[in-house]
Amino acid sequence: MTRRKALSIVIAFAVCAAIALAPTPDGLSREGQSAIAIFALCFVLWVSNALPLSVTSLLAIVLLPTLRVLPATRSFELFGSPVVFFILGAFILAAALMRSGLSTRLALAFLRRFGGSPRSLLAGVIFSGGFLAFWMPQHAVAALLFPIVLEIAHALRLQPIKSHYGRALFLALAWGAVIGGVATFLGAARNPLALGILRQHYDLSITFDEWLVAVAPFSIILMVCAYFLLVRDFGIDVKDVSMARDALNMKAKALGPLSRREKGVGIVMLITIVAWITSGRVVGLASISIFAAVALFVLNLLEWKSVEEYVNWGVILMYGGAIALAAALHESGGARWIAHIAADRVAGIPPFWMLMVFAVAAAFLTEAISNVAAVALMLPICFGLVEGSGVSPVSVVFAVAVPAGLAFALPMGTPANAIAYSAGYFRLRDSFLAGALLKIIALVLFTLVVKFYWPVLGIGTLPGRCAGETRPSHSLRFPSVDLVCG
């Protein structure tokens, strides 16, 4: 362990102890004070990355009953949130896609269609990554496309650092996966995490199709913006991509015809997506995910050994702990007290601009820490800040979770960036400058989406409706409550 990490751990526990042992302020319960102490400890550890995210989350689960914030049964019960099992099922489905080779076949088919010119090939990298990230974790998409894009670069004899087109290709690889990852619950587990925190706070949910309709248009338009930004900033210093097209054709030909396993996995995935859209609210996203995962084994389409290779168990542990910590802050009154202290700074801000403040904070925080940590840290506080303001908690979920996924500037912002950076075709300066500009474009576009598109769907910043009240026929039934209704 490095000295910096050791110092961060000492500071984290010192801050936790100082808050827990201090006199309890007026308006805050003892349980709430302890919850804030644990929250502060996790904040320091998550920001410093002194311990793995999953270990920090497990520590939070143990400290909640130890400091008497929640009973032990309640603390571990929260870890078993349905969202955790949805994430598990989604990871298993992604493992089947990758193990069967279907994901590689889809990526090659997509890229071959765009391989006619340098510009279209660059667009193909962005949109193939974005499309796959609709249905697979974005880091898995980046890992899948990395050897394919690297083969394209070698076929075109692109020089690392020196080639403008090489820089654009690998930034397109990262950006496509990142942008596509915000559009559904499958591209990144921070979206289900936000959904789990929403459920714990308000017993509300968002269906798969509602999230897709609300965010996918933003994601697609942002991919187009990313393409034009790469063309403008780096230019196209390659005139002919026929060698790359030949390399893709050879790789696709080597795959042979669709195998029984690929067909089976494709059918299971298609049925699962349809079930999420049509029955997610009734049956539950988690139940459908687990049923689909079991079906893969029943049909002999996947072996458990493959699951162990592809599923990141640490991520699942991290989300369970984050949901438990958020629920503890809410139930103990800690989040409400923090929000009350911060309320003076946001007093008088119109609901729309309050959402924008959340979005900007999440977008820039995610460059410094894990996007899931950003969601876990921000959502409980943001929920407390909007109480009585007329802002729907569902709007808050979107305003935090979507921008938290837009990490473009730094390799440490997301694994997709780190994977692309490892190829050595662009410098940190390249990704920082271009990524910062893309983030500004993304926030402007997000502002327009919140202002003009979401109200059409019924995701408003105006006072919501109490539970049980019907919605207008034009709404997609987005759950929204007036927080003063209780």
Side-chain angles (χ1 to χ4, degrees):
M1 178 181 294
T2 64
R3 183 177 300 178
R4 184 186 64 82
K5 288 187 175 182
L7 180 60
S8 297
I9 293 173
V10 171
I11 291 174
F13 278 95
V15 170
C16 178
I19 295 175
L21 297 176
T24 304
D26 293 337
L28 179 64
S29 66
R30 186 64 192 170
E31 292 80 7
Q33 181 176 355
S34 297
I36 293 173
I38 299 172
F39 177 81
L41 178 142
C42 291
F43 180 87
V44 175
L45 293 179
W46 277 334
V47 170
S48 65
N49 202 28
L51 293 175
L53 298 181
S54 54
V55 174
T56 301
S57 294
L58 288 175
L59 179 61
I61 292 177
V62 173
L63 287 177
L64 289 174
T66 302
L67 298 185
R68 299 182 180 180
V69 178
L70 295 174
T73 52
R74 174 61 176 158
S75 179
F76 288 99
E77 179 184 273
L78 289 168
F79 183 81
S81 167
V83 174
V84 175
F85 288 93
F86 169 79
I87 295 171
L88 174 60
F91 278 176
I92 293 175
L93 284 167
L97 281 171
M98 297 177 69
R99 183 64 175 176
S100 67
L102 182 59
S103 56
T104 302
R105 188 182 296 275
L106 289 172
L108 287 171
F110 212 99
L111 285 171
R112 289 168 69 197
R113 288 184 178 273
F114 284 85
S117 69
R119 287 176 179 266
S120 63
L121 181 59
L122 181 64
V125 173
I126 291 180
F127 284 100
S128 59
F131 173 76
L132 288 172
F134 276 29
W135 320 111
M136 295 170 56
Q138 62 188 48
H139 66 274
V141 172
L144 166 70
L145 288 177
F146 180 80
I148 299 176
V149 176
L150 194 61
E151 191 164 338
I152 291 173
H154 288 164
L156 296 177
R157 300 175 182 176
L158 304 178
Q159 296 295 317
I161 303 297
K162 296 180 180 179
S163 170
H164 295 300
Y165 193 63
R167 298 179 200 174
L169 277 178
F170 282 93
L171 284 173
L173 161 66
W175 289 359
V178 169
I179 296 171
V182 305
T184 72
F185 294 146
L186 304 178
R190 78 183 157 271
N191 296 342
L193 170 63
L195 186 64
I197 296 174
L198 175 69
R199 183 186 294 275
Q200 291 297 337
H201 277 66
Y202 300 106
D203 196 25
L204 294 173
S205 187
I206 305 171
T207 65
F208 185 89
D209 57 312
E210 287 171 344
W211 189 288
L212 181 66
V213 171
V215 185
F218 163 78
S219 180
I220 293 170
I221 295 172
L222 187 56
M223 288 182 215
V224 175
C225 294
Y227 164 75
F228 284 111
L229 178 62
L230 287 175
V231 172
R232 193 210 71 162
D233 278 9
F234 298 104
I236 305 295
D237 57 357
V238 171
K239 296 181 179 180
D240 181 26
V241 293
S242 58
M243 290 184 291
R245 186 170 60 249
D246 292 342
L248 292 175
N249 288 335
M250 289 180 59
K251 200 171 184 68
K253 188 176 180 180
L255 292 176
L258 272 172
S259 66
R260 169 194 166 274
R261 175 173 291 187
E262 287 176 287
K263 293 178 182 177
V265 170
I267 291 172
V268 170
M269 190 70 190
L270 184 61
I271 293 174
T272 302
I273 293 171
V274 172
W276 278 331
I277 294 173
T278 59
S279 306
R281 188 180 292 277
V282 177
V283 180
L285 296 174
S287 298
I288 295 171
S289 295
I290 296 300
F291 187 82
V294 172
L296 292 171
F297 293 99
V298 171
L299 298 174
N300 196 31
L301 300 172
L302 188 66
E303 302 83 27
W304 186 254
K305 183 179 180 180
S306 300
V307 174
E308 292 177 332
E309 293 175 3
Y310 288 105
V311 174
N312 189 334
W313 300 102
V315 169
I316 295 174
L317 294 175
M318 190 275 166
Y319 292 130
I323 290 173
L325 177 59
L329 278 169
H330 173 66
E331 294 180 14
S332 66
R336 186 188 298 267
W337 184 83
I338 294 175
H340 179 73
I341 296 298
D344 291 339
R345 298 184 180 274
V346 297
I349 297 180
F352 171 78
W353 292 111
M354 188 178 294
L355 287 181
M356 292 303 100
V357 169
F358 297 160
V360 172
F364 284 95
L365 185 62
T366 194
E367 295 289 354
I369 66 174
S370 161
N371 50 51
V372 294
V375 170
L377 292 170
M378 285 191 62
L379 263 187
I381 307 304
C382 292
F383 282 151
L385 284 171
V386 301
E387 283 203 30
S389 67
V391 178
S392 161
V394 173
S395 300
V396 176
V397 167
F398 282 115
V400 172
V402 175
L406 304 177
F408 303 121
L410 299 173
M412 63 283 293
T414 177
N417 291 347
I419 290 170
Y421 180 72
S422 68
Y425 276 81
F426 61 86
R427 296 164 297 185
L428 187 61
R429 177 178 177 272
D430 298 324
S431 65
F432 180 80
L433 294 177
L437 182 55
L438 182 59
K439 188 181 290 289
I440 293 172
I441 294 172
L443 287 172
V444 171
L445 178 60
F446 186 75
T447 302
L448 296 175
V449 167
V450 176
K451 183 69 174 179
F452 299 106
Y453 178 56
W454 284 2
V456 176
L457 302 179
I459 315 176
T461 58
L462 297 177
R465 300 165 179 81
C466 297
E469 189 173 334
T470 59
R471 293 183 168 276
S473 58
H474 71 272
S475 171
L476 289 177
R477 296 182 295 107
F478 277 93
S480 176
V481 295
D482 185 345
L483 300 185
V484 298
C485 295

